[in-house]
Amino acid sequence: MASIWVGHRGTIRDYPGFSPSADAEAVRKAIRGIGTDEKTLISILTERSNAQRQLIVKEYQAAYEKELKDDLKGDLSGHFKHVMMALVTPPAVFDAKQLKKSMKGTGTDEDALIEILTTRTSRQIKEISQAYYTVYKKSLGDDISSETSGDFRKALLTLADGRRDESLKVDEHLAKKDAQILYNAGENKWGTDEDKFTEILCLRSFPQLKLTFDEYRNISQKDIEDSIKGELSGHFEDLLLAIVHCVRNTPAFLAERLHQSLKGAGTDEFTLNRIMVSRSEIDLLDIRHEFKKHCGYSLYSAIKSDTSGDYGITLLKICGGDD
């Protein structure tokens, strides 16, 4: 069965003539030698699909009675270590860990929570929730509840439930009805009925919402974005705008996130690693295309000028090419 984590627009695919045992041995040698052979590690881990990397992890454990991620952790450092560990982690577990990291310690990284929960499919979110519980013995919902509040919390919990409709069929009658409900809940009302926004934007399918937003424009003579900006505020507003952005064009939303992570004073490696690794087998080619369209320069060149050393080399390999 095809993995729900694999699309057709990724930069990384299954490696032909793959041998988990040969790879495990080469990786072990690269780690065990005098000084680490980073080049071998990078070429193996960036040229295998995640499913193949999981087989290398299994083989490594069987042959050497050690966890590959522990050996990488002990042997590498800094951002290079983080990206290499991300590569050997199953996608659902990786996302679970990223969500945990976003909520840990003082302050919550709301943008990361929003990005992960708006860009994953219902089936992916269900897998992430299972992984979260397995790793942390706590439900994702409980952690979201204790770290966030208000309408933002309600919307995140609705998304974390993984109940968004996934069907590609659109219902015109429903789109008209929902558009009217949104209009009545916002523009056409003294005060805003936030729950209606949450219900519709967090549960309807993306194709359905696309049509609803067209209908909304017909009714209100306004784009849904403008109404959200005028009616709502804070992280709740950010979340709904992210959903609208994803409905219109998910790769463009992620390209903009990458652009933010690479511009200005410091690089936001947390976001950069997450998007590069998590979208490498789904839609990174489309994200590259949108990045170039939006910025006028390629994602490859942005990574190249903003990162260095083995870390930079790894990200460029995942990026897969210049545009």
Side-chain angles (χ1 to χ4, degrees):
M1 184 185 132
S3 161
I4 58 174
W5 298 89
V6 175
H8 303 296
R9 302 288 299 154
T11 53
I12 295 179
R13 308 188 182 291
D14 281 335
Y15 185 76
F18 170 63
S19 159
S21 57
D23 281 351
E25 195 179 330
V27 164
R28 177 71 173 168
K29 264 206 191 103
I31 294 174
R32 280 301 295 276
I34 301 169
T36 307
D37 174 2
E38 288 89 356
K39 220 167 137 178
T40 299
L41 280 182
I42 294 169
S43 80
I44 292 175
L45 296 179
T46 60
E47 290 173 26
R48 309 293 184 269
S49 65
N50 194 286
Q52 290 177 329
R53 286 180 224 127
Q54 297 316 314
L55 296 173
I56 297 172
V57 167
K58 249 195 186 121
E59 190 65 45
Y60 192 93
Q61 165 79 42
Y64 309 110
E65 294 180 355
K66 278 179 133 72
E67 291 274 351
L68 176 53
K69 68 174 191 316
D70 294 340
D71 280 355
L72 290 173
K73 199 177 185 168
D75 212 52
L76 310 175
S77 63
H79 302 306
F80 178 51
K81 172 180 81 178
H82 293 141
V83 76
M84 295 305 265
M85 286 176 66
L87 287 169
V88 299
T89 307
V93 176
F94 179 60
D95 278 349
K97 289 185 165 177
Q98 294 281 304
L99 286 166
K100 183 69 168 179
K101 200 169 161 182
S102 306
M103 295 187 278
K104 235 172 50 191
T106 43
T108 301
D109 181 350
E110 289 87 2
D111 289 339
L113 287 181
I114 290 171
E115 175 209 300
I116 297 168
L117 291 173
T118 55
T119 55
R120 306 303 188 255
T121 65
S122 301
R123 285 174 64 202
Q124 286 171 340
I125 286 174
K126 288 201 168 82
E127 273 200 15
I128 294 164
S129 295
Q130 279 174 322
Y132 197 95
Y133 193 78
T134 305
V135 177
Y136 301 110
K137 303 290 172 272
K138 250 185 110 170
S139 84
L140 173 58
D142 286 348
D143 277 348
I144 289 173
S145 283
S146 60
E147 295 299 324
T148 58
S149 61
D151 293 308
F152 180 53
R153 173 204 280 165
K154 254 189 218 171
L156 285 175
L157 289 172
T158 307
L159 291 174
D161 245 3
R163 288 186 298 134
R164 186 186 292 287
D165 176 25
E166 296 277 274
S167 99
L168 299 172
K169 282 209 278 293
V170 292
D171 176 339
E172 269 185 63
H173 175 70
L174 180 65
K176 283 192 167 72
K177 201 173 104 184
D178 280 350
Q180 190 65 55
I181 291 172
L182 290 172
Y183 181 61
N184 294 343
E187 291 290 346
N188 207 21
K189 187 173 189 264
W190 187 257
T192 308
D193 182 352
E194 287 84 0
D195 285 354
K196 292 284 185 274
F197 278 86
T198 296
E199 250 163 65
I200 293 171
L201 268 65
C202 296
L203 293 174
R204 302 283 187 255
S205 74
F206 278 12
Q208 181 67 32
L209 285 172
K210 220 176 201 146
L211 191 59
T212 303
F213 299 158
D214 291 343
E215 291 295 345
Y216 185 86
R217 193 171 170 83
N218 293 339
I219 296 170
S220 71
Q221 305 307 306
K222 256 185 161 172
D223 277 330
I224 188 80
E225 288 93 327
D226 296 328
S227 292
I228 290 171
K229 283 175 190 161
E231 301 288 324
L232 306 164
S233 63
H235 299 305
F236 181 53
E237 176 193 355
D238 297 338
L239 173 64
L240 295 187
L241 288 173
I243 293 172
V244 174
H245 201 155
C246 288
V247 165
R248 299 206 192 277
N249 187 337
T250 298
F253 171 72
L254 290 167
E256 172 55 30
R257 291 277 297 151
L258 282 172
H259 174 60
Q260 293 300 329
S261 77
L262 285 160
K263 75 168 215 234
T267 303
D268 171 6
E269 288 87 3
F270 180 50
T271 302
L272 181 56
N273 290 351
R274 179 177 57 250
I275 297 175
M276 295 300 288
V277 172
S278 69
R279 307 312 285 192
S280 60
E281 291 179 55
I282 300 174
D283 54 2
L284 192 50
L285 289 172
D286 295 325
I287 293 168
R288 270 169 44 181
H289 171 76
E290 294 295 339
F291 190 96
K292 178 85 187 255
K293 202 164 93 180
H294 174 83
C295 300
Y297 50 89
S298 69
L299 176 58
Y300 192 91
S301 66
I303 291 171
K304 199 171 177 157
S305 65
D306 243 41
T307 60
S308 61
D310 293 315
Y311 176 57
I313 292 167
T314 306
L315 287 178
L316 292 174
K317 294 264 309 207
I318 297 169
C319 185
D322 205 347
D323 294 300

